[in-house]
Each structure stands twice: as structure tokens, then as C-alpha cells.
């Protein structure tokens, strides 16, 4: 007699602890699967660009490595595009295409920090661009995938695009942008007391520069600034933390009224690791030209004014110059605040 009862299954029952493979029906993609691929691509590109693209070191006045637009903009955009391309079709949306690329981008950036490829200053300055371009690349890929799916070979070729454009871009000279920063403060002290401090400020503590943004993102704190007489004239000697030291040969000097100096760096002025190579003072991308102070009696004290001229040279000055202005303006205000607090605390300032 036949029966319609189903035969028992010979397969083992599925365990509740078994990790299910990635399926297109899942509401969210495997985030680790997506993040690790994009992060590895980003690190490989950073290492490749860091080895002097195509084995050719950049000449003075030309960009190289991570300072190329091909790396700074194209690589994160392609991380975003790769992330969305690898996301299962049913899990794609324009919102996820904008946000998911942040995961591999942040993992990639963290990797450069752990491997000591990039310092904190460069990471903080580049991160807004990286995140924006990752979202942009992800959104563009989401739009493309709505109409057709490119082959893996096409995507693979696209991932090599930064190397091709970088090889061309590295032969383009960097445009210099000369900028100025001006600030002033009223100090309840005599011009002579402030002048003395400008030419001899010692035992500077980090707390006295606590309002300086640059010092919070990796610039070493100053320790002292002392003017000395040399065979070539007066020179202001600077010492910062981490062994940084440089000279400021004085160009103009009017006792208790006006002082101006330029900057001079020796080969050992900035020890390795003290500053990111991309923001080193006196480097190909950033330099201080001169600084001046003007002192004028005002009411019950003195008006101290500072004027700083500096250079920014990148292939993306529209962004870098604005960041530099924020940092230099803030540094100028921080220095003036230091002179204000020190001068007003001096016995001569209070008439003691």
C-alpha cells in the first residue's frame, strides 16, 4: 500500500548558532565584508603613492604622494563606489550609498594612523574631504547601477585610475597662495614690559597655549623665544617641544614700537616625526614668510598688533588655504593672549 507521507530529511538540523551566509534578503549587508575590502584598497593606494609614484621622486615645487588630487579625491571616491558595487542589489538605496562608504573610509584612515603612515594633523585636515568624496563616489555608483551593472573587469580598471592620473598630475607645478593674518589686543601694561617679553619669553607651559587649535592636533608646543645678538645681527631663537628649533633673523627693530623677522630653518630644525611632512614649516606645501609686532600706547596700556604672512602651495588651495587661515588666525590670537596674560601678570605692569 502506498503512502503520501514525505520522506524524512537526512540533512542535519540547522543550529541556531550557525552564522548564515550573506543573502540578498537580509535587510543590511555584511558590514565587515564591505568595510574591509574598501579599507584594503585605500591602504594599498596610500602605500603605492607613498613610494613615489612610478618610482619617480617629486621635484621641489611639485606635489607628490598623498598631496596629489588623484589620491586625496579619487581614492576615497572609488572606495565609496567599490562599497556600493559590492552591496547586494536588494540592499542598495541612495541613503546607504551615501553612508556605507564611511565605514571602509574610516577603517582605512585608522589603518594609516596605526601603521604610522599619516600623523594626526594630516588625518584631521583630510578627513572631511575623504568622507565627502566617499559619499559622492557611492552615490554615483548607485546611480550607475540603476541603469546597468559594469563588469568586474571594468570596476578593476577604474580602481587603477588614481595611478594613471597621478602620474600626469605630479608634473604640474604647485600654485603658491600668499596669505596674511592680522590681529590685535589691548594689554594693561607698558610697551617696554611687552617688548621685553616679546624678546625673552621662557618656560612657556602648554597651558598658556591651550586655546591654540594647532597644538591640539599635533603641532609641538613652544618652550621659549629669546632674542640674541650674533655676528650677523639680532636673531630670535625658538625652541619647541620634540626637539624643534629654528631662528628668526630680525629684519626691522624700533625699540618698544616695532619688530619684524623672517624664518630660517636648519636641516635638523624639525626632527623626524615632530611634524607631518605635509605641513612642515618651510616645506613645499606650507611656509611662514615673516611676522611683525607693532606696539602703540592706548589708554591705560598698549595696543599690541601682530601681522603674519605665510604661503600655502597645494593643488587644492581652495581648501588648504582656508584651513591654513583658520589655524594661523587662531595661532595669532593665542600668541597675543599669551603676551597679554604674561605682561599683565608682571610686577611692572601693575605698578608694584
Amino acid at each position: 500500500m502506498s503512502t503520501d507521507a514525505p520522506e524524512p530529511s537526512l540533512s542535519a538540523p540547522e543550529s541556531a548558532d550557525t552564522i548564515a551566509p550573506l543573502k540578498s534578503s537580509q535587510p543590511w549587508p555584511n558590514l565587515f565584508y564591505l568595510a574591509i575590502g574598501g579599507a584594503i584598497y585605500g591602504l594599498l593606494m596610500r602605500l603605492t603613492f607613498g613610494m613615489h609614484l612610478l618610482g619617480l621622486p617629486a621635484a621641489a615645487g611639485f606635489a607628490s604622494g598623498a598631496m596629489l588630487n588623484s589620491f586625496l579625491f579619487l581614492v576615497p571616491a572609488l572606495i565609496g563606489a567599490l562599497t556600493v558595487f559590492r552591496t547586494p542589489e536588494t540592499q542598495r538605496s541612495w541613503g546607504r550609498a551615501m553612508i556605507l562608504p564611511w565605514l571602509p573610509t574610516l577603517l582605512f584612515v585608522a589603518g594609516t594612523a596605526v601603521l604610522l603612515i599619516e600623523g594626526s594633523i594630516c588625518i584631521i585636515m583630510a578627513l572631511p574631504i575623504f568622507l565627502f568624496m566617499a559619499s559622492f563616489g557611492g552615490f554615483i555608483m548607485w546611480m550607475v547601477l540603476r541603469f546597468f551593472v559594469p563588469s568586474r573587469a571594468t570596476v578593476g580598471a577604474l580602481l587603477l585610475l588614481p595611478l594613471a592620473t597621478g602620474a600626469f598630475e605630479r608634473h604640474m607645478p604647485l600654485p603658491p597662495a600668499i596669505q596674511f593674518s592680522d590681529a590685535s589686543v589691548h594689554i594693561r601694561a607698558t610697551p617696554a614690559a611687552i617688548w621685553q617679553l616679546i624678546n625673552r619669553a621662557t618656560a612657556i607651559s602648554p597651558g598658556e597655549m591651550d586655546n591654540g587649535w594647532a597644538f591640539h592636533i599635533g603641532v609641538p608646543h613652544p618652550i621659549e623665544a629669546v632674542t640674541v645678538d650674533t655676528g650677523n645681527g639680532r636673531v630670535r631663537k625658538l625652541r619647541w617641544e620634540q626637539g624643534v628649533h629654528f631662528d628668526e633673523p630680525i629684519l626691522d627693530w624700533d625699540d618698544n614700537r616695532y619688530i619684524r623677522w623672517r624664518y630660517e630653518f636648519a636641516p635638523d630644525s624639525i626632527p623626524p616625526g615632530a611634524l607631518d611632512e605635509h605641513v612642515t614649516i618651510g616645506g613645499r606645501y606650507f611656509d611662514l614668510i615673516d611676522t611683525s609686532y607693532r606696539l602703540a600706547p592706548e589708554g591705560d596700556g598698549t595696543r599690541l598688533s601682530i601681522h603674519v604672512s605665510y604661503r600655502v602651495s597645494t593643488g587644492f588651495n581652495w581648501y588648504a588655504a582656508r584651513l591654513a587661515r583658520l589655524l594661523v588666525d587662531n595661532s595669532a590670537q593665542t600668541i597675543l593672549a599669551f603676551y597679554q596674560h604674561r605682561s599683565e601678570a608682571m610686577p611692572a605692569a601693575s605698578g608694584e
Side-chain angles (χ1 to χ4, degrees):
M1 183 176 61
S2 63
T3 175
D4 294 331
E7 295 181 2
S9 172
L10 298 178
S11 61
E14 186 172 346
S15 167
D17 296 329
T18 300
I19 299 177
L22 181 66
K23 298 178 180 178
S24 62
S25 59
Q26 292 178 335
W28 280 90
N30 187 316
L31 299 183
F32 176 81
Y33 168 82
L34 293 177
I36 197 66
I40 290 174
Y41 167 73
L43 284 172
L44 288 175
M45 284 290 105
R46 180 61 186 89
L47 291 171
T48 302
F49 273 82
M51 293 188 310
H52 298 302
L53 195 63
L54 302 182
L56 300 173
F62 294 80
S64 67
M67 294 299 286
L68 291 168
N69 286 293
S70 303
F71 175 83
L72 189 63
F73 294 91
L74 271 183
V75 169
L78 289 170
I79 289 176
L82 178 63
T83 300
V84 174
F85 178 76
R86 298 171 73 232
T87 301
E89 180 180 359
T90 58
Q91 297 166 357
R92 296 183 194 131
S93 68
W94 71 268
R96 292 178 185 176
M98 301 281 286
I99 299 301
L100 283 180
W102 287 18
L103 298 176
T105 302
L106 291 172
L107 187 59
F108 150 58
V109 170
T112 63
V114 170
L115 296 175
L116 302 180
I117 299 174
E118 297 290 358
S120 57
I121 300 177
C122 285
I123 289 175
I124 292 172
M125 295 177 71
L127 193 56
I129 290 180
F130 279 0
L131 295 178
F132 175 82
M133 292 305 301
S135 293
F136 178 75
F139 181 77
I140 293 299
M141 178 58 77
W142 175 76
M143 290 288 293
V144 169
L145 291 173
R146 296 184 66 188
F147 300 98
F148 74 97
V149 178
S151 67
R152 290 181 178 272
T154 300
V155 174
L158 191 63
L159 295 179
L160 297 177
L161 183 61
L163 298 179
T165 58
F168 169 79
E169 183 189 350
R170 64 182 306 282
H171 295 289
M172 300 175 62
L174 293 171
I178 306 301
Q179 300 197 127
F180 307 96
S181 177
D182 292 279
S184 69
V185 65
H186 176 81
I187 301 176
R188 293 189 302 275
T190 64
I194 302 169
W195 183 264
Q196 176 185 350
L197 184 59
I198 289 174
N199 289 286
R200 187 171 182 81
T202 60
I204 303 172
S205 67
E208 292 179 286
M209 297 286 177
D210 195 50
N211 291 330
W213 300 339
F215 306 121
H216 288 289
I217 62 175
V219 174
H221 285 83
I223 298 175
E224 68 175 25
V226 177
T227 300
V228 299
D229 286 314
T230 71
N232 297 319
R234 296 186 181 98
V235 176
R236 202 165 176 261
K237 300 279 187 176
L238 271 290
R239 283 200 309 117
W240 291 0
E241 292 178 340
Q242 300 184 37
V244 175
H245 64 92
F246 54 94
D247 291 347
E248 296 173 343
I250 295 175
L251 304 173
D252 297 298
W253 176 287
D254 186 358
D255 280 324
N256 302 328
R257 295 182 179 181
Y258 182 74
I259 187 172
R260 181 173 70 94
W261 59 74
R262 62 181 177 87
Y263 295 84
E264 189 173 273
F265 297 88
D268 64 344
S269 284
I270 302 177
L275 276 173
D276 290 349
E277 61 171 320
H278 305 129
V279 292
T280 296
I281 303 172
R284 69 178 66 186
Y285 305 112
F286 177 77
D287 194 16
L288 292 169
I289 300 173
D290 63 18
T291 295
S292 64
Y293 287 101
R294 189 176 298 277
L295 300 84
E298 182 183 79
D300 61 346
T302 304
R303 170 67 55 177
L304 176 62
S305 303
I306 185 175
H307 175 81
V308 182
S309 27
Y310 57 98
R311 170 185 58 81
V312 178
S313 300
T314 70
F316 43 94
N317 281 346
W318 58 269
Y319 178 78
R322 284 172 172 79
L323 278 182
R325 178 176 294 279
L326 289 175
L327 290 174
V328 175
D329 285 355
N330 173 256
S331 296
Q333 293 285 357
T334 300
I335 293 169
L336 289 181
F338 163 77
Y339 287 129
Q340 181 183 34
H341 297 152
R342 278 271 184 115
S343 298
E344 292 180 350
M346 293 171 65
S350 59
E352 296 179 11

